[in-house]
Amino acid sequence: MKPEQLQSVRATLRSPRRLKTEALAGLVVALALIPEAIAFSVIAGVDPRIGLFASFTMAVTISFVGGRPAMISAATGAVALVIAPLMRSHGLDYLIAGVILAGVFQILLALLGVTKLMRFIPRSVMVGFVNALAILVFMAQLPELINVPWLVYPLVAIGLVIVVALPRLTTSVPSPLVAIVALTLFAVLAHIDVPAVRDKGQLPESLPSLFIPNVPLTLETFQILAPFALSMALVGLLESLMTAKLVDDITDTRSNKTRESWGQGVANIVTGFLGGMGGCAVIGQTMINVKGSGARSRVSTFLAGVFLLVLVVTLGGIVGLIPMAALVAVMIFVSAITFDWHSIAPKTLKRMPKSETAVMLITVGTVVATHNLAIGVGVGVLAAMAMFARRVAHFATVERTEIELNGDTVATYTVDGELFFASSNDLYTQFEYARDAAPTVDRVIIDFHASHLWDASTIAVLDAVTEKYRRHGREVELIGLNSASSQMRERLAGKLNAAD
C-alpha cells in the first residue's frame, strides 16, 4: 500500500466508532455474498466451494492491491457466464488456468492504459449501467419468491420494513444486519419451514489450498484458453471500473483506476492458484457496503472476505439457518437505493435531450436482455457515438458569396464546422459546379478558416470536389487550412483511390 493508504487504514483502526462501522459492514457483505457465490458457482458449473473460495480470495487480495477503497470484489454472475462454456468443454483444470490467464491479461491491459477508455463512456451510459444493475439485482431475487411457502412473503416484507425504517431511529448498527439476525432468530425459534442458505449447496469445511491446474503448457492450450480468458478480463475490468466510478460519485472521492485494473489481475491470479473461479467488482455487495452500511475504507473489504471464510468454514451450520427471505429483503433494498430514480422522473425526461434518454434506455434494455453488463455498456457507447455523429453531422455549413477581387469575379465558399466522416458526406453536394463554370465567374475559392479536417473521408470528399470542378474547367483554391489539416491533406490528397 502507498503511505496515504496506510495512513487511512491506521486512522480507521484507531477510531473505535469507524472500526465498528467497517467491521459490521464487512459482516453484512459476507452474509450477502454467501448465497450469491453459491448461485454463481451453479451458473459456472462448479462446486459451490469454488465460488465461495473465489469470493474470499478476491475480497482479501483486492483490499491490499486494489485502487478503490470500500469496493467489494468477489465471484460474479458476469464472469460465471463467460467461463461456464470452458468448464463444460474442458473441465475444472482448464477453467482455473483460464482464470489465471485472465489475471495476466488484466495486468497487461492496465499497463497499456485501458483505464483511459473510461473517458469515452458518456453519462447516459453510466446512468443506464446503474439502472440496469439495479434491475438485475432485483430480478435475481425473483426465483426466491416463486413457488415458495407463503410465509416467505411476510418475512420479506418485515425485512424490508426493518432495513428502511431502522436508519430513521438509529444508525449505530447497519439495518441489513439487524434484518438478517432478526429474521433468522424468528424463523428458528418459531420453527418456520422456509428456504434457507443451507438449501443452496454444501458449504466448505476446510481452508482453500494451493491448486496447480493440470494442463499442458503448449500453444494449443493457449489457443483454447485465450478467447475465454480475454473475455473474462475485459468483462471483469469493465464492471470493476464502472463500479469504481460509481463509488467515486457516491463517496465524493477519487480512486486509482490503473491500480484497480492491475489489482483485479493480481486478485484473479491469486484466486486461480487457490482453486477459485475468479471474479471482479460486485455492485450489489458494494452498494450494501458503501450505501447501506456506510463503509469507506479497505478494512471493510478485507473483513468481508475474512468473515465469509470464517462463517462458511467454522459456522456453516449457523449460517445455513439464515432464511433466504432475509437476504432477498436486503437485496431488494439494495436494488431500490441503487436505481437512479431521478433519471426517469417526468421533469428529467422532459428536460433531457431525447438522444440521451434513448442511449440510457438502450443500455438498460441490452443489459437486461443479455444479463451481461459489458455487452450493454458496449452497445450503449456505440449508440451514443452514432447519435453524436448524427447530431454533429449537421453542424458543418457551406455559404457561397461572390465578390470582385482585382477585377475578377470570385465565388467564395466558407466552410464552417468540424469535418469528419459523418459531416463531410454532404459536403460534395453543397457546391454549385455548373454556376461556377459560367463565364461570369473567374475564380473559385473554398475557405476553411472556420473548419478542421479530421479524417481521410473528408480528404476523399475534397478530392472529389476539386476533381468535379476540374471537369468543369475550374481550378479550386483551398485557403485557411490550419496546420494539422494542411499536413493531413498534403499527405493524403490524391492518394486515396486504388489507382493512386
Side-chain angles (χ1 to χ4, degrees):
M1 293 186 190
K2 292 184 178 180
E4 60 270 22
Q5 294 164 341
L6 282 173
Q7 186 177 359
S8 175
V9 171
R10 289 194 188 105
T12 300
L13 296 175
R14 288 171 184 166
S15 170
R17 184 177 180 181
R18 190 73 246 165
L19 181 58
K20 184 191 75 170
T21 299
E22 300 290 320
L24 291 177
L27 179 57
V28 175
V29 169
L31 291 170
L33 279 173
I34 292 170
E36 288 210 353
I38 295 173
F40 297 149
S41 299
V42 174
I43 292 173
V46 298
D47 189 281
R49 289 172 292 186
I50 305 298
L52 289 165
F53 286 156
S55 294
F56 158 67
T57 54
M58 287 294 297
V60 170
T61 306
I62 207 67
S63 68
F64 288 97
V65 300
R68 174 62 261 179
M71 189 169 77
I72 305 297
S73 290
T76 63
V79 169
L81 288 170
V82 170
I83 61 175
L86 180 60
M87 177 64 190
R88 287 195 298 268
S89 60
H90 290 83
L92 182 61
D93 286 284
Y94 275 81
L95 181 143
I96 298 300
V99 170
I100 296 169
L101 183 58
V104 174
F105 283 156
Q106 286 177 327
I107 294 174
L108 293 176
L109 289 169
L111 296 176
L112 292 173
V114 70
T115 56
K116 295 178 182 177
L117 297 177
M118 286 295 293
R119 71 184 68 177
F120 296 106
I121 299 179
R123 180 185 178 278
S124 53
V125 174
M126 186 66 187
V127 173
F129 167 81
V130 172
N131 290 346
L133 275 171
I135 294 170
L136 288 184
V137 169
F138 177 77
M139 290 175 62
Q141 312 315 309
L142 295 180
E144 306 299 334
L145 299 172
I146 299 173
N147 296 325
V148 293
W150 68 271
L151 284 171
V152 167
Y153 304 111
L155 286 178
V156 171
I158 294 170
L160 285 171
V161 170
I162 293 173
V163 295
V164 172
L166 186 62
R168 299 179 183 180
L169 302 176
T170 178
T171 56
S172 58
V173 181
S175 59
L177 179 59
V178 174
I180 292 170
V181 173
L183 292 182
T184 302
L185 288 174
F186 178 74
V188 172
L189 296 176
H191 301 287
I192 296 175
D193 185 18
V194 292
V197 170
R198 62 173 176 264
D199 301 321
K200 289 295 178 180
Q202 183 182 358
L203 299 178
E205 298 176 352
S206 61
L207 299 176
S209 57
L210 183 65
F211 185 101
I212 305 296
N214 183 22
V215 297
L217 300 177
T218 62
L219 178 60
E220 182 182 358
T221 302
F222 179 79
Q223 290 173 336
I224 293 171
L225 297 177
F228 297 100
L230 184 58
S231 296
M232 177 182 167
L234 293 174
V235 168
L237 282 183
L238 183 57
E239 287 205 32
S240 299
L241 294 176
M242 293 286 282
T243 305
K245 187 176 180 181
L246 178 60
V247 177
D248 289 352
D249 294 340
I250 292 171
T251 61
D252 198 23
T253 57
R254 296 181 64 184
S255 59
N256 188 331
K257 304 298 190 301
T258 299
R259 175 170 178 159
E260 183 61 39
S261 298
W262 65 255
Q264 289 289 329
V266 171
N268 273 307
I269 292 173
V270 171
T271 297
F273 279 118
L274 289 176
M277 58 181 271
C280 63
V282 53
I283 183 70
Q285 280 67 23
T286 297
M287 289 299 99
I288 291 176
N289 199 43
V290 176
K291 261 193 168 182
S293 304
R296 292 293 183 270
S297 81
R298 299 171 183 274
V299 175
S300 60
T301 306
F302 173 77
L303 290 178
V306 173
F307 284 145
L308 171 64
L309 190 65
V310 171
L311 287 170
V312 299
V313 173
T314 65
L315 301 174
I318 297 175
V319 172
L321 298 175
I322 296 174
M324 288 303 301
L327 298 175
V328 168
V330 171
M331 296 311 293
I332 291 176
F333 169 70
V334 168
S335 173
I337 64 175
T338 301
F339 196 91
D340 186 351
W341 297 101
H342 177 71
S343 67
I344 60 171
K347 289 183 179 179
T348 304
L349 295 175
K350 188 175 181 180
R351 295 193 200 103
M352 194 69 65
K354 288 183 174 57
S355 59
E356 298 281 315
T357 302
V359 169
M360 186 266 285
L361 293 175
I362 288 170
T363 304
V364 171
T366 305
V367 171
V368 172
T370 63
H371 284 238
N372 190 312
L373 293 164
I375 293 176
V377 171
V379 171
V381 170
L382 290 175
M385 291 170 59
M387 292 184 186
F388 174 76
R390 184 173 178 271
R391 276 204 311 273
V392 300
H394 304 293
F395 289 169
T397 60
V398 179
E399 183 179 353
R400 183 184 187 277
T401 58
E402 282 191 18
I403 60 173
E404 294 293 326
L405 185 64
N406 298 327
D408 291 336
T409 300
V410 181
T412 302
Y413 290 87
T414 302
V415 182
D416 187 356
E418 305 300 308
L419 295 176
F420 63 110
F421 64 91
S423 59
S424 62
N425 279 336
D426 295 332
L427 194 65
Y428 181 79
T429 62
Q430 297 189 49
F431 296 92
E432 300 183 34
Y433 303 99
R435 180 180 177 185
D436 295 336
T440 54
V441 176
D442 299 301
R443 296 166 58 194
V444 177
I445 295 176
I446 303 178
D447 186 353
F448 291 95
H449 277 105
S451 185
H452 184 93
L453 313 186
W454 284 103
D455 58 12
S457 297
T458 304
I459 304 300
V461 170
L462 288 183
D463 283 350
V465 170
T466 55
E467 178 59 30
K468 187 163 185 177
Y469 268 115
R470 193 173 290 118
R471 290 199 300 269
H472 281 78
R474 284 278 183 265
E475 291 295 327
V476 179
E477 302 173 48
L478 306 183
I479 65 171
L481 289 170
N482 59 36
S483 177
S485 299
S486 180
Q487 289 177 13
M488 177 179 285
R489 185 169 185 276
E490 288 176 6
R491 189 169 66 252
L492 297 177
K495 300 175 183 176
L496 295 174
N497 294 324
D500 295 329

